Amino acid sequence: MSTAAISPGRQTLRRMLANPSVIIGGVLVLAVVLLGLLAPVLGTRDPADISPKDRNQPPGYETTVRDHSGKKVPVVYRLGSDTLGRDVYSRIIYGARISLVVGVSVATISIVIGMAIGVLAGYVRWLDGIIMRVMDGLMAIPAILLAIAVVSLFSAGLTSVIIAIVVPEVPRVVRLVRSIVLSIREEPYVEAAITAGTRTPVLLVRHILPNTIAPLIVQGTFIVASAIIVEAILSFLGIGIPPEIPTWGNIMAEGRAVFQLFPHNIFYPGLVLALTVLAVNMLGDGLRDTLDPRFAKRL
Amino acid sequence: MEQQNVLEVRNLSVSLPKNADRPNAVENISFTVAPGEIVCVVGESGSGKSVTASAVMGLLPAALKPSTGETLLQGEDTLQANANRLRDLRGTRMAMIFQEPMTALNPVTRVGEQISEVLEIHTDLSAADRRKRAIEIMEAVHLPDPEKMVDSFPHQLSGGQRQRIMIAMALVLDPALLIADEPTTALDVTTQAQILKLIKEMQERRGTGVLFITHDFGVVAEIADRIVVMQNGRVVEYGDRDDVLRRPKEPYTQMLMASVPSMTPPDRMPRTGKNAIEVSNLNKIYGRTGWLSKDRIVHAASNVDLHVRRGETLGIVGESGSGKSTVARCIARLIDPTSGTISLHGTDIGTLPQAKLRPHRRKVQIVFQDPYRSLNPRRTIGQSLVEAPVNFGVPIDQALKTARDLMELVGLSGDALERYPHQFSGGQRQRICIARALAVEPDVLIADEAVSALDVSVQAQVLELLDDIRERYDLAMLFITHDLRVAAQICDRLIVMKKGVVVEQGPTKEVYSNPQHDYTRLLLDAAPGRDVTFGSDTAA
């Protein structure tokens, strides 16, 4: 044992960096994030530019188009073009932005709301029954159906899609936080803090909530993955993000009609979607193994 | 001619994974178990006693590998046996019982079926015969009404009955060797006495060799024929019971024996100081009547009266479910008493609402049983120690200075304040918890089984520390324990509780020498090894 103070946090970080799932998942997620951030400099064109003469071309198709100033420039459709002659490659790259924005904001919002409600349910005993019955009710409705209902209440758009996905995610976070609060409040160190005269808000923030961070990070990654998928589903069904904005779901929806003739319109966005979700899930699995050793596969 | 040994462990070493604190879990150990003999392996936590048992049974975790030696079960080396052979041997020639009878039994299978499963695997008996054998063996371990109990589920039985079922399962095929790994540690003292008696009876009647793993020297004194004392994976001393317990040769064994608290209370001056805390008519009732729940209520504490004077230690003893911890937690106001008064320097804190209670909190501090869960693992020792003083308005610099002094008072260095709990051993953490409790200068210190989770040598040191700070700060101490040896040594007065009711109280010496209530007598009689004075060759 060294004499220096090794904080439990630093140990966890060390364990994390030695976990292959964290590394592989993390690198892939980082790649998708960079893809989204650096979209304009990755050889993309305006993803909304249509070119009727270049409709439904296969990947690698080379042609010339007029740019905004009317000059003819040579272009390559790396992943082919869609039914309006738009560049699928550019649309997929720009689509990463929407997917990430939806995934991250759904995860953040549902964790913030879920944490607040979960702490209330776990610590204020008389509220527990009421809150949890409402949450049970929300969980009884299929998530997609609930999302469709929420979207139809508002106008279609990014905000309403995010709200629609957050609503069914919140009960899961509430349950998780509540169960942790319930078990941690019985810990002797929490009782010691009570006898030490620590006020309830401080008690919660200092002694109870830190225990929810690790499980919530893990849960958060799974929410990101499922939000990306649900967004794609909603867009594919035509009730999500408006079709003029490129999202992976929208690209696939447009390619659906001509799928048998031009499969690249569905294949490439589908592949990127699958890889992204796989990467996020791998990262989540790795984080769970390192942050929450109780669930670790091997010991 | 000498009989063949049931078990012969020769030069056994089991290596630990590379990053462990020592190269071997057990190193070069040798001992034998003869038929009809009980050999106790004793040692403190981390001594390697359970690893020894697992090695014999072929139950070592994958990370631990036996490196040298052999474990001969009636001449056959179990370390060399393959999985199939081990399966044949387990149950028929060696069997094991565990510490926790609830988790060792399958909760969704009837106990009779669990016994007959052993028969099904190893014999050709028909289902009807198996059931008959199960009932017979249940009768042999003195379970009441085995004809009916054979169809019970584990949760319908008490802890002692479950352990009897475990013993029945282990003995149903008459194995030559029975390994018992802390089989009574999770049981109450009266149940423990019955189970020990049963193990002894079974072993005498069937001539089974028993390898008995325990950390409790009282239990050792009660049943051992021979004793293996282990420390850090090595055998320190090995010999006949009376030699080891009364005339230990090795310094380590001598130290252990000196640490075992005696059942004879020392003479203590009666304390005459002012009452620090008075409790009268304290009731705690669990359960409620509602439109959904049935009327099920439990009197966890009924009409408890007690008072503790300054500088006095009052012990509350009792078995699990006696309500001793409920009383302590009511006094610390971790739970709200249903009725009654708790008078602390003139204020009744029993019914004060949380908001008004806060200024009084610092007067009553509590030290818990489990040193591993009593400190927030995310906060440094310093942060934990200054939390309470800062809550009550002490400037942080001053609180830190006091914390440093307190750490030295409890025998730790002041530098330890920057470290985290996981860097300390169980005994050190318990010292830290005591320091934390003292940081707000309480009048009343509650020790709720505060030494029960500690090894005997550490326990002796912590008890000494508690007695020392009680004297130094003129503290009123409320000492909750199930351990009558510990209570005998530290308490001035005793309260004996059973099912929420105080059945007897008085000065410790009187309660021990002249118990008035039947239940107190029962408890004292059940305390294992009560007649043995450890480490003294003058004892009878």
Side-chain angles (χ1 to χ4, degrees):
Chain A
M1 191 196 301
S2 71
T3 44
I6 312 159
S7 81
R10 200 169 318 157
Q11 286 182 324
T12 311
L13 193 69
R14 228 177 274 169
R15 242 193 351 254
M16 219 183 269
L17 293 178
N19 184 300
S21 302
V22 173
I23 302 297
I24 300 173
V27 166
L28 281 174
V29 170
L30 195 69
V32 178
V33 171
L34 287 178
L35 225 55
L37 284 178
L38 303 177
V41 295
L42 288 173
T44 55
R45 300 160 51 209
D46 184 342
D49 269 2
I50 59 172
S51 174
K53 71 178 171 63
D54 302 314
R55 296 190 324 264
N56 295 329
Q57 296 298 330
Y61 168 74
E62 290 177 41
T63 182
T64 51
V65 295
R66 287 183 192 282
D67 68 4
H68 294 292
S69 58
K71 232 173 38 192
K72 276 197 163 184
V73 286
V75 291
V76 184
Y77 286 84
R78 287 186 184 78
L79 298 178
S81 63
D82 67 6
T83 45
L84 294 174
R86 292 174 298 196
D87 182 21
V88 173
Y89 169 74
S90 305
R91 291 177 69 75
I92 289 176
I93 302 272
Y94 276 94
R97 292 182 165 186
I98 301 289
S99 287
L100 289 172
V101 166
V102 170
V104 171
S105 37
V106 165
T108 316
I109 298 170
S110 45
I111 282 175
V112 169
I113 299 176
M115 193 148 153
I117 303 178
V119 165
L120 275 182
Y123 209 84
V124 186
R125 299 307 297 142
W126 64 270
L127 268 176
D128 186 33
I130 303 167
I131 291 177
M132 289 323 286
R133 293 303 77 74
V134 174
M135 293 300 139
D136 288 348
L138 276 178
M139 286 188 94
I141 308 169
I144 301 271
L145 221 61
L146 189 62
I148 292 173
V150 174
V151 171
S152 60
L153 280 181
F154 307 97
S155 63
L158 190 59
T159 324
S160 50
V161 166
I162 290 174
I163 295 173
I165 308 175
V166 162
V167 172
E169 288 294 348
V170 164
R172 287 170 232 279
V173 180
V174 170
R175 285 196 160 193
L176 180 70
V177 172
R178 170 181 174 270
S179 71
I180 295 166
V181 171
L182 281 181
S183 66
I184 297 295
R185 60 180 284 164
E186 306 286 331
E187 287 291 306
Y189 68 78
V190 173
E191 299 196 321
I194 295 173
T195 55
T198 306
R199 293 176 197 276
T200 306
V202 182
L203 186 82
L204 287 171
V205 171
R206 190 182 284 171
H207 294 289
I208 295 184
L209 288 186
N211 292 289
T212 63
I213 292 174
L216 281 180
I217 290 176
V218 175
Q219 182 73 16
T221 57
F222 295 133
I223 294 178
V224 170
S226 102
I228 290 175
I229 289 194
V230 173
E231 180 273 321
I233 293 173
L234 290 178
S235 296
F236 186 79
L237 293 177
I239 47 172
I241 314 281
E244 67 271 16
I245 300 173
T247 76
W248 297 338
N250 279 344
I251 305 171
M252 287 192 273
E254 277 146 25
R256 187 176 53 91
V258 289
F259 167 61
Q260 273 147 326
L261 295 171
F262 311 105
H264 62 267
N265 271 347
I266 284 203
F267 178 73
Y268 290 110
L271 185 70
V272 178
L273 172 68
L275 276 178
T276 308
V277 172
L278 180 71
V280 176
N281 275 329
M282 263 179 91
L283 180 65
D285 276 338
L287 289 177
R288 184 193 54 204
D289 289 352
T290 47
L291 290 174
D292 213 340
R294 273 171 301 175
F295 294 112
K297 282 173 273 186
R298 59 201 138 73
L299 219 139
Chain B
M1 195 193 121
E2 208 177 303
Q3 261 182 307
Q4 192 198 15
N5 284 322
V6 177
L7 177 70
E8 190 165 349
V9 175
R10 272 193 212 149
N11 304 326
L12 174 70
S13 294
V14 175
S15 47
L16 283 171
K18 279 198 187 72
N19 48 7
D21 57 341
R22 60 179 199 240
N24 289 309
V26 296
E27 201 166 311
N28 215 12
I29 60 169
S30 304
F31 61 88
T32 60
V33 182
E37 181 186 49
I38 300 183
V39 175
C40 276
V41 179
V42 283
E44 300 189 298
S45 44
S47 62
K49 51 192 194 299
S50 285
V51 169
T52 310
S54 306
V56 175
M57 285 295 286
L59 290 173
L60 281 177
L64 302 182
K65 293 259 181 299
S67 48
T68 63
E70 43 196 358
T71 57
L72 301 175
L73 175 72
Q74 295 180 311
E76 179 174 354
D77 189 357
T78 59
L79 294 183
Q80 303 301 327
N82 63 21
N84 280 330
R85 183 62 189 149
L86 275 174
R87 200 155 42 229
D88 286 343
L89 290 175
R90 293 185 197 130
T92 56
R93 284 165 61 191
M94 56 180 177
M96 190 158 180
I97 49 180
F98 300 90
Q99 174 171 347
E100 189 48 73
M102 187 68 227
T103 49
L105 289 170
N106 182 344
V108 296
T109 312
R110 296 172 201 280
V111 294
E113 285 167 30
Q114 298 191 50
I115 297 175
S116 60
E117 189 185 351
V118 181
L119 296 166
E120 194 181 340
I121 294 165
H122 294 288
T123 68
D124 304 325
L125 293 176
S126 68
D129 285 344
R130 290 202 300 266
R131 189 182 164 87
K132 220 177 108 225
R133 279 286 290 139
I135 292 172
E136 278 167 22
I137 191 81
M138 284 171 72
E139 211 160 358
V141 296
H142 309 299
L143 280 162
D145 203 359
E147 298 274 355
K148 244 169 105 181
M149 196 178 272
V150 74
D151 292 321
S152 309
F153 287 98
H155 71 265
Q156 295 169 312
L157 311 183
S158 71
Q161 288 172 337
R162 288 197 283 261
Q163 200 58 300
R164 280 172 198 271
I165 295 285
M166 284 302 299
I167 294 173
M169 275 170 78
L171 294 182
V172 68
L173 287 172
D174 258 322
L177 175 70
L178 175 68
I179 298 179
D181 191 355
E182 305 264 9
T184 59
T185 306
L187 303 176
D188 276 327
V189 58
T190 48
T191 319
Q192 163 171 293
Q194 294 161 12
I195 295 294
L196 290 179
K197 199 170 139 227
L198 174 70
I199 290 177
K200 213 167 165 95
E201 179 195 324
M202 290 292 124
Q203 162 260 338
E204 275 165 9
R205 194 191 301 171
R206 292 161 180 258
T208 318
V210 179
L211 183 63
F212 196 105
I213 317 279
T214 184
H215 68 283
D216 186 333
F217 287 90
V219 171
V220 175
E222 197 72 18
I223 64 162
D225 293 313
R226 282 188 302 144
I227 301 174
V228 179
V229 183
M230 291 187 68
Q231 180 197 18
N232 294 334
R234 296 207 172 94
V235 173
V236 177
E237 191 159 352
Y238 173 38
D240 285 342
R241 176 182 63 178
D242 290 354
D243 287 341
V244 175
L245 291 186
R246 295 195 174 137
R247 294 174 290 277
K249 290 187 201 69
E250 298 298 321
Y252 177 70
T253 322
Q254 286 166 355
M255 185 277 289
L256 281 184
M257 294 307 148
S259 303
V260 180
S262 154
M263 277 293 280
T264 320
D267 286 319
R268 279 176 171 265
M269 290 290 292
R271 305 279 165 177
T272 51
K274 271 205 317 208
N275 280 349
I277 193 157
E278 285 172 53
V279 173
S280 57
N281 266 320
L282 183 76
N283 282 288
K284 176 67 193 177
I285 300 169
Y286 282 109
R288 55 175 177 190
T289 57
W291 58 281
L292 274 179
S293 50
K294 275 195 197 149
D295 299 8
R296 264 191 63 185
I297 53 168
V298 179
H299 265 271
S302 34
N303 295 321
V304 174
D305 293 308
L306 63 85
H307 63 95
V308 193
R309 296 177 193 279
R310 299 213 64 128
E312 182 185 49
T313 304
L314 173 71
I316 304 184
V317 297
E319 299 184 296
S320 53
S322 63
K324 54 189 193 305
S325 277
T326 305
V327 171
R329 293 163 65 82
C330 281
I331 292 173
R333 280 299 304 271
L334 286 169
I335 48 179
D336 297 332
T338 310
S339 66
T341 58
I342 299 166
S343 168
L344 185 72
H345 46 76
T347 317
D348 176 16
I349 60 162
T351 45
L352 276 187
Q354 290 295 337
K356 290 198 181 142
L357 184 65
R358 201 164 166 269
H360 299 282
R361 285 238 182 248
R362 62 183 301 175
K363 293 292 163 203
V364 181
Q365 290 294 306
I366 185 162
V367 178
F368 297 96
Q369 171 171 6
D370 188 344
Y372 294 92
R373 289 164 56 203
S374 300
L375 292 164
N376 189 338
R378 287 185 176 77
R379 296 175 68 76
T380 62
I381 303 305
Q383 286 176 318
S384 288
L385 250 62
V386 300
E387 179 166 14
V390 169
N391 280 339
F392 292 110
V394 178
I396 186 132
D397 297 349
Q398 199 185 322
L400 271 172
K401 201 181 151 298
T402 318
R404 207 164 276 274
D405 296 343
L406 282 169
M407 287 296 275
E408 268 153 35
L409 175 74
V410 300
L412 293 165
S413 105
D415 304 337
L417 290 180
E418 277 118 58
R419 296 209 223 148
Y420 287 89
H422 69 91
Q423 293 172 291
F424 296 89
S425 71
Q428 288 172 328
R429 289 188 213 196
Q430 210 59 322
R431 287 168 187 274
I432 293 167
C433 290
I434 293 169
R436 175 176 63 186
L438 293 177
V440 281
E441 298 163 7
D443 294 336
V444 180
L445 181 65
I446 301 172
D448 188 358
E449 299 276 11
V451 298
S452 305
L454 305 177
D455 280 327
V456 59
S457 58
V458 181
Q459 173 176 309
Q461 295 160 8
V462 173
L463 278 176
E464 208 168 290
L465 173 66
L466 282 172
D467 218 28
D468 180 53
I469 57 156
R470 179 197 41 82
E471 193 75 53
R472 184 190 295 242
Y473 291 94
D474 206 22
L475 279 177
M477 189 150 78
L478 191 61
F479 196 93
I480 318 292
T481 187
H482 70 282
D483 188 331
L484 294 165
R485 291 178 175 278
V486 169
Q489 292 313 306
I490 195 163
C491 301
D492 294 304
R493 285 187 302 120
L494 267 191
I495 282 182
V496 182
M497 286 188 73
K498 185 194 179 187
K499 291 189 177 155
V501 182
V502 174
V503 295
E504 176 156 4
Q505 55 180 315
T508 310
K509 196 141 183 120
E510 265 171 49
V511 174
Y512 275 64
S513 56
N514 186 20
Q516 297 300 308
H517 195 274
D518 285 345
Y519 180 68
T520 316
R521 268 194 288 275
L522 191 71
L523 276 184
L524 289 169
D525 281 343
R530 63 203 162 280
D531 309 321
V532 182
T533 313
F534 294 92
S536 135
D537 50 2
T538 53

